[in-house]
Amino acid sequence: MDGSGSPTLEQVAAVAGVSRATVSRVVNGSPKVLPETVAAVEQAIRQLGYVPNRAARALVTRRTDSVAIVVPEPDSRVFSDPFFAGMLSGVSRTLAPTSSQLVLLIEPAEGDDQRFMRYLRGGHVDGAIIISHHGRDNVLQELAQLPLPIVFSARPLGVDVPVASVDVDNVAGARTGVEHLLAIGRRKVATIAGPLDMTAGLDRLTGYKDVMKEAGLPALIEYGDFTADGGEQATLRLLDAHPDLDGLFVASDLMATAALRVLSERGRRVPSDVAVVGFDDSVLATMTTPKLTTVRQPVEQLGARLAEILLAKIGGANLTSPEIYNTELIIRDSA
Amino acid sequence: MDGSGSPTLEQVAAVAGVSRATVSRVVNGSPKVLPETVAAVEQAIRQLGYVPNRAARALVTRRTDSVAIVVPEPDSRVFSDPFFAGMLSGVSRTLAPTSSQLVLLIEPAEGDDQRFMRYLRGGHVDGAIIISHHGRDNVLQELAQLPLPIVFSARPLGVDVPVASVDVDNVAGARTGVEHLLAIGRRKVATIAGPLDMTAGLDRLTGYKDVMKEAGLPALIEYGDFTADGGEQATLRLLDAHPDLDGLFVASDLMATAALRVLSERGRRVPSDVAVVGFDDSVLATMTTPKLTTVRQPVEQLGARLAEILLAKIGGANLTSPEIYNTELIIRDSA
DNA sequence: TTGTACGCGTTATCAT
DNA sequence: ATGATAACGCGTACAA
């Protein structure tokens, strides 16, 4: 701490022998300042180690130069999901050239919505990216109606107003996965779906059902919650109910890794006995034995696009429609 | 947006028929306000949907009610590491009861230090938690000397001033892992170490070396960079150099998963041919086949403690020494 | 090109 | 117990 707190514009002005206003202009890169004045001011700034006070600036400009990334769930799962990590990476890289900072809002405990709602409403950020998994209560709806630029990381379930969102085509992605299983000759193809209150759960199941129906094959469905444990349980139930299954489409890589393990423990060879296709192409996909054939979604790109859209909206653009990206089937060893 | 921006203290005061100052008192829970006045003000607040402006508040109180969690590396690996996720979880849970928000500062590209240094210096946060992996340049040193409450997530390499930090006893942790390998009869025990410019790399290697030396056995060392790829390469080199190894201590679970895969591909049975011990006990440990025996570190607890220490320092406490936590060997199937 | 002066929404001091 | 009023540090018309 330097004696009397951090230096202010005023002090810089005094040292540089100019007015506060001029220093402000230099700091903000106004073109209408004499080069020599600029030099003098910059010298003073360096000498004092001046750095602008954002609070004061925000107060007058009504811009905070920070955006929130909101996880409206107490879900620590979100963090262990490589999906989130990838998106965060994309978001932060896109935000980097900007002066914007990233504020992470996590719902600490179930039902503590109002905490971040207040924060968002308080004008502490210029906009927000919502990482929503569940279409829970009416939180998403409330978020969507906030007087603030907002982008959703997935089509928010249960929201009836037009909102900007970025997502992959989960239905089509699931289709490619299941179609691949059929293409390699599998007929008893089951799925481990995600929860139906998540876009990812709902749409991927739809894709599976569609393909099976078109092929005239029965749908064999169990549900997991996108955790390894959930995947394990679902696989066990599936093996009990359909011991003769020869193909398995799993709605996430994390659940798929558990499925592979259970299959192995139960003496099923992958892919010869049971072919397995996952969804995500996360880092996990290459860590399993055998390596996972999976439906890739371009997570970093999604994150980057989320940030771009948000910045555009903050800049005044009126974007309120979903953007859908394509998936790609990555064939490895499990199917 | 309601006509004219968000309501201010002034407007609430007008509606409630009191002065600005009184409203402020109510908002901040001052005891010296008549209950009936409180009621009137709270009514007005609800009616207007008032929420205090943090920028204005921060300007006068000089407190921002937000803390930064800094990743002073462009390292996207940090995110895919479950270790980071766990700590983040612990930090955010501890911060929750507080009014403090979490600001995430990531170095977007190599060498862009000054960006977050300026931010931290600008008084935008009340304190910062540094998640540092590498003892790179003098960034850590600069961070340590910031006139701001700071806590490091690991003993920062190359910092010569006393700083607060939270870490596990990596040396002892590695010892228990290696000693276990010896205890189950392994003699050709190799290690995949992490980079030596990270505490985790350095100390865990030390633990390995110590045990091997005490046992009068040769140290067989290869280095990885804490990624799956690095682990894979190191394992291959190790198998080439020492085809007869029967024990392997890997400095991280992520690298260990890769090692397991390579060993399997090379026809080594785990644990019968080669016993493997990892480090972390991350979610990965139970996802492998066989499940990984590993040295657990209490990540969430570390994160929580980081936050506690930071809050204490912000509150005026003068903590500038490391805190070391114990690890625990979790025995599963790989050793 | 530069300086003056005002306002941003709060908290805190001092009267009342 | 409450109300004026002065900061807090900055941006920006407006004036010079």
Side-chain angles (χ1 to χ4, degrees):
Chain A
M1 323 274 182
D2 12 71
S4 55
S6 6
T8 73
L9 265 191
E10 191 89 40
Q11 301 178 27
V12 174
V15 171
V18 297
S19 79
R20 235 176 30 224
T22 299
V23 177
S24 174
R25 291 186 183 102
V26 172
V27 169
N28 294 301
S30 162
K32 316 228 140 242
V33 184
L34 282 183
E36 53 216 67
T37 315
V38 172
V41 171
E42 284 178 342
Q43 158 62 21
I45 288 178
R46 267 193 305 278
Q47 178 182 328
L48 268 49
Y50 168 79
V51 24
N53 179 319
R54 268 204 188 188
R57 178 180 282 174
L59 189 54
V60 40
T61 59
R62 306 189 141 291
R63 283 209 35 177
T64 62
D65 277 350
S66 60
V67 306
I69 180 156
V70 183
V71 182
E73 300 169 27
D75 202 337
S76 54
R77 239 183 306 150
V78 177
F79 296 113
S80 27
D81 201 331
F83 181 79
F84 178 70
M87 291 229 311
L88 197 56
S89 178
V91 168
S92 80
R93 194 172 17 261
T94 303
L95 249 32
T98 311
S99 55
S100 281
Q101 287 300 338
L102 203 52
V103 178
L104 197 58
L105 298 182
I106 305 165
E107 181 173 326
E110 189 73 41
D112 204 354
D113 308 337
Q114 293 317 308
R115 192 149 181 282
F116 62 73
M117 289 305 283
R118 291 178 63 85
Y119 187 84
L120 293 176
R121 232 191 301 269
H124 314 133
V125 291
D126 300 331
I129 294 172
I130 316 293
I131 308 288
S132 69
H133 278 193
H134 296 268
R136 184 167 58 76
D137 316 325
N138 52 352
V139 185
L140 297 186
Q141 176 80 3
E142 276 184 54
L143 283 167
Q145 292 177 325
L146 236 32
L148 192 76
I150 296 273
V151 192
F152 285 84
S153 75
R155 171 170 56 85
L157 252 31
V159 171
D160 59 14
V161 296
V163 294
S165 69
V166 172
D167 206 349
V168 293
D169 189 337
N170 284 297
V171 178
R175 287 195 65 105
T176 63
V178 181
E179 281 166 353
H180 174 69
L181 287 169
L182 296 184
I184 60 175
R186 308 306 164 116
R187 284 301 172 268
K188 298 272 192 182
V189 177
T191 191
I192 297 177
L196 297 185
D197 63 346
M198 304 193 200
T199 318
L202 197 61
D203 291 358
R204 291 171 198 173
L205 177 59
T206 299
Y208 165 82
K209 280 179 173 173
D210 287 355
V211 173
M212 296 302 281
K213 187 169 191 177
E214 290 164 22
L217 295 171
L220 315 176
I221 307 172
E222 284 292 343
Y223 296 88
D225 60 354
F226 283 136
T227 67
D229 271 359
E232 182 173 333
Q233 300 307 320
T235 309
L236 289 171
R237 289 196 299 273
L238 227 31
L239 284 178
D240 277 352
H242 315 284
D244 56 341
L245 68 87
D246 60 8
L248 181 56
F249 171 67
V250 191
S252 89
D253 281 359
L254 185 53
M255 293 199 294
T257 61
L260 288 179
R261 200 174 53 245
V262 172
L263 287 170
S264 159
E265 288 167 4
R266 292 298 164 115
R268 307 293 205 286
R269 309 266 313 172
V270 175
S272 49
D273 296 337
V274 181
V276 177
V277 173
F279 202 111
D280 278 343
D281 193 31
S282 76
V283 290
L284 302 175
T286 56
M287 289 174 40
T288 55
T289 318
K291 291 183 181 172
L292 197 60
T293 290
T294 189
V295 180
R296 156 177 279 165
Q297 42 179 343
V299 272
E300 291 228 2
Q301 190 186 338
L302 297 181
R305 190 58 194 144
L306 277 172
E308 283 174 14
I309 292 178
L310 185 59
L311 291 176
K313 292 194 75 163
I314 290 173
N318 184 25
L319 307 170
T320 52
S321 50
E323 279 188 15
I324 310 291
Y325 287 80
N326 289 328
T327 58
E328 179 189 2
L329 181 68
I330 305 294
I331 298 180
R332 294 202 179 86
D333 306 327
S334 69
Chain B
M1 326 269 183
D2 13 70
S4 54
S6 14
T8 72
L9 220 45
E10 190 89 58
Q11 301 177 28
V12 174
V15 171
V18 297
S19 78
R20 229 169 42 216
T22 298
V23 177
S24 175
R25 290 187 185 104
V26 172
V27 169
N28 295 300
S30 161
K32 316 226 139 241
V33 184
L34 282 183
E36 53 215 67
T37 315
V38 173
V41 171
E42 283 178 342
Q43 158 62 18
I45 288 178
R46 268 193 304 277
Q47 177 182 328
L48 267 49
Y50 167 79
V51 24
N53 180 316
R54 271 203 185 191
R57 178 179 281 174
L59 187 55
V60 41
T61 61
R62 307 189 139 292
R63 284 213 29 181
T64 61
D65 277 349
S66 59
V67 305
I69 181 157
V70 183
V71 182
E73 298 167 27
D75 200 339
S76 54
R77 238 184 306 150
V78 178
F79 296 115
S80 28
D81 200 332
F83 182 78
F84 178 71
M87 290 230 312
L88 196 56
S89 178
V91 168
S92 80
R93 190 166 27 255
T94 302
L95 248 32
T98 311
S99 55
S100 282
Q101 288 300 341
L102 203 52
V103 178
L104 198 57
L105 298 182
I106 306 165
E107 180 174 326
E110 189 73 41
D112 204 353
D113 308 337
Q114 294 316 308
R115 191 147 182 284
F116 60 75
M117 289 304 286
R118 291 179 64 85
Y119 187 84
L120 293 176
R121 232 190 300 267
H124 314 132
V125 292
D126 300 331
I129 293 171
I130 315 295
I131 308 288
S132 68
H133 277 194
H134 296 269
R136 184 167 58 76
D137 315 326
N138 51 352
V139 186
L140 297 186
Q141 176 79 5
E142 276 184 53
L143 283 166
Q145 293 178 324
L146 235 33
L148 193 76
I150 297 272
V151 191
F152 286 84
S153 76
R155 172 170 57 85
L157 252 33
V159 171
D160 57 15
V161 295
V163 294
S165 69
V166 172
D167 205 349
V168 292
D169 188 337
N170 285 296
V171 177
R175 287 194 66 105
T176 64
V178 180
E179 281 166 354
H180 174 69
L181 288 168
L182 296 184
I184 60 176
R186 307 308 163 114
R187 285 301 172 268
K188 297 273 190 182
V189 178
T191 190
I192 298 178
L196 297 186
D197 63 345
M198 305 193 199
T199 317
L202 197 59
D203 291 357
R204 291 171 198 173
L205 178 58
T206 299
Y208 165 82
K209 280 180 173 171
D210 288 355
V211 173
M212 296 302 279
K213 187 169 190 177
E214 290 165 20
L217 295 171
L220 315 176
I221 306 171
E222 284 292 343
Y223 295 88
D225 59 354
F226 283 135
T227 67
D229 272 359
E232 182 172 334
Q233 300 308 318
T235 308
L236 289 170
R237 288 196 300 272
L238 229 29
L239 285 177
D240 277 353
H242 315 285
D244 56 342
L245 68 88
D246 59 9
L248 181 56
F249 171 67
V250 191
S252 89
D253 281 359
L254 185 54
M255 293 198 296
T257 61
L260 288 179
R261 200 173 55 245
V262 171
L263 287 170
S264 159
E265 288 167 7
R266 291 300 164 112
R268 305 294 205 287
R269 310 265 312 172
V270 176
S272 50
D273 295 338
V274 181
V276 177
V277 173
F279 202 111
D280 278 342
D281 192 31
S282 76
V283 291
L284 301 175
T286 56
M287 289 173 42
T288 54
T289 318
K291 291 183 181 173
L292 196 61
T293 290
T294 188
V295 180
R296 155 177 278 163
Q297 42 180 343
V299 272
E300 293 226 359
Q301 189 187 340
L302 297 182
R305 191 57 195 145
L306 277 172
E308 283 173 14
I309 292 178
L310 185 59
L311 291 176
K313 293 194 73 163
I314 291 174
N318 185 25
L319 307 170
T320 52
S321 51
E323 278 189 17
I324 309 291
Y325 287 81
N326 289 327
T327 56
E328 180 188 3
L329 181 67
I330 306 293
I331 298 180
R332 295 202 179 86
D333 307 329
S334 70

